[in-house]
Amino acid sequence: MNSRYYTEGLIAVFLFGITPVFIKEVSANAFTIGIVRLVIGTAFLFTIIRTGKLKKLSKKDWKGLLYIGLLFGAHWITYFISVKLATPSIAILSVSSFGLHMIYLNWIINGQKPVLSDLIAVAVALFGIFLIVPEFNLENDLTAGILVGLVSAFFFAVLPFVQRRNQHIDSMTRAFGQYAFALLVFLTFTSESNWDLSQQDWIFLGILGVVCTVGAHTLWLRASTMLAPATTSLIFYLGTPIAMVTSYIFLNEEMNSSKLIGAALIVSANVFSAYKKRFKKSN
């Protein structure tokens, strides 16, 4: 069963990797992107969820969905701003630092000390990210994008813990609550949104809504709920080299030896983790 969720996590991360390219290319700002994506996601899930399921939810369940949605909304706003300020690969590598947050959060919340092999794999991945980071300068948008991305990473790290506490609610219903309550977060910034968009912008927003929201985040919700925190953090690191490749191809983002070596280390950490889990399962 875990291999199924691991595969779903990999698919989700691939979609996460290509998402920043569309976010960067579309002329809509962060608030408009979020509103459109969440309207599509909420409407889609509402059509496939029986209203009877929603009526059976207790007040405690609705409270859990509210927390999930608020965390997700905070993560998305900060992530979109990070992409707009920096570059797709820089933004996603900043969010990839959520693995560090998950280590101490899992220790504090669940009392589970990290396993040495997991720490080594995370350390290798983080060193790879360090090689990709450009010169740190507080006076430019690139640095601002990194800092906002780190804030986004914290919200993203807390989310799986709240998801697990509410895993008795089926995944589709949780996804619906996640999108619906996150939409409320974005709607508070409606006055800051922009709607003077081209046909291409609307096509990109459609892709972001259907493929990168309904598809990717629903799969990630399931995977991050059922897999261990260390596993989800390692899987997520794969999004960085994917974003780098797509940014290089479609946005002509500069690639140098440090970035390539860093990406290789990130992938190696994930391969090591996957091999270790298969070996452990076979024994």
Side-chain angles (χ1 to χ4, degrees):
M1 183 63 71
N2 279 345
S3 62
R4 170 187 173 184
Y5 294 116
Y6 195 88
T7 301
E8 290 181 356
L10 291 175
I11 295 172
V13 167
F14 172 78
L15 295 176
F16 288 159
I18 66 174
T19 296
V21 173
F22 292 103
I23 294 175
K24 189 70 174 181
E25 283 289 88
V26 70
S27 61
N29 63 23
F31 307 112
T32 304
I33 294 170
I35 292 172
V36 173
R37 292 182 68 180
L38 290 169
V39 166
I40 292 174
T42 302
F44 177 83
L45 288 173
F46 185 75
T47 60
I48 63 176
I49 295 176
R50 297 179 181 178
T51 55
K53 284 187 176 181
L54 298 179
K55 291 179 180 179
K56 291 180 180 179
L57 294 176
S58 65
K59 289 184 179 180
K60 184 178 179 181
D61 293 337
W62 280 110
K63 187 176 180 180
L65 293 178
L66 174 63
Y67 289 152
I68 290 172
L70 293 179
L71 283 169
F72 187 72
H75 158 62
W76 257 19
I77 283 181
T78 48
Y79 178 52
F80 296 167
I81 292 174
S82 177
V83 173
K84 290 293 188 179
L85 286 173
T87 67
S89 61
I90 294 299
I92 199 168
L93 72 86
S94 298
V95 176
S96 295
S97 67
F98 89 104
L100 285 177
H101 297 297
M102 292 189 76
I103 290 175
Y104 71 77
L105 285 172
N106 193 42
W107 195 347
I108 294 172
I109 296 173
N110 297 326
Q112 296 180 3
K113 295 183 179 180
V115 179
L116 179 60
S117 58
D118 288 331
L119 287 177
I120 293 173
V122 171
V124 171
L126 287 175
F127 181 68
I129 289 177
F130 171 78
L131 292 177
I132 297 172
V133 175
E135 182 181 357
F136 196 82
N137 188 340
L138 292 174
E139 296 181 356
N140 59 45
D141 286 345
L142 196 62
T143 301
I146 293 173
L147 294 177
V148 175
L150 293 175
V151 174
S152 181
F154 173 76
F155 291 123
F156 198 49
V158 177
L159 191 57
F161 294 97
V162 182
Q163 292 281 14
R164 287 190 193 90
R165 290 189 175 183
N166 295 276
Q167 61 183 317
H168 61 280
I169 305 173
D170 70 273
S171 59
M172 287 299 179
T173 302
R174 273 185 289 123
F176 169 78
Q178 175 174 281
Y179 300 150
F181 288 114
L183 179 58
L184 295 181
V185 175
F186 276 86
L187 288 177
T188 61
F189 298 96
T190 301
S191 61
E192 302 296 326
S193 60
N194 64 315
W195 300 97
D196 185 16
L197 307 174
S198 66
Q199 182 179 6
Q200 178 177 283
D201 289 330
W202 284 108
I203 292 174
F204 284 169
L205 286 174
I207 294 172
L208 285 168
V210 176
V211 178
C212 302
T213 302
V214 175
H217 281 279
T218 301
L219 288 174
W220 183 253
L221 181 150
R222 288 160 55 87
S224 63
T225 299
M226 302 306 297
L227 297 175
T231 303
T232 56
S233 64
L234 288 169
I235 293 175
F236 192 81
Y237 287 129
L238 283 173
T240 300
I242 293 171
M244 289 175 61
V245 171
T246 53
S247 295
Y248 174 76
I249 295 174
F250 298 105
L251 302 180
N252 295 317
E253 184 176 342
E254 181 184 357
M255 292 293 145
N256 51 41
S257 58
S258 293
K259 283 188 176 182
L260 295 176
I261 294 173
L265 290 174
I266 294 167
V267 173
S268 298
N270 281 272
V271 171
F272 168 76
S273 178
Y275 173 79
K276 187 193 69 172
K277 290 183 181 301
R278 285 191 177 185
F279 179 80
K280 185 176 180 180
K281 185 176 180 181
S282 63
N283 288 287

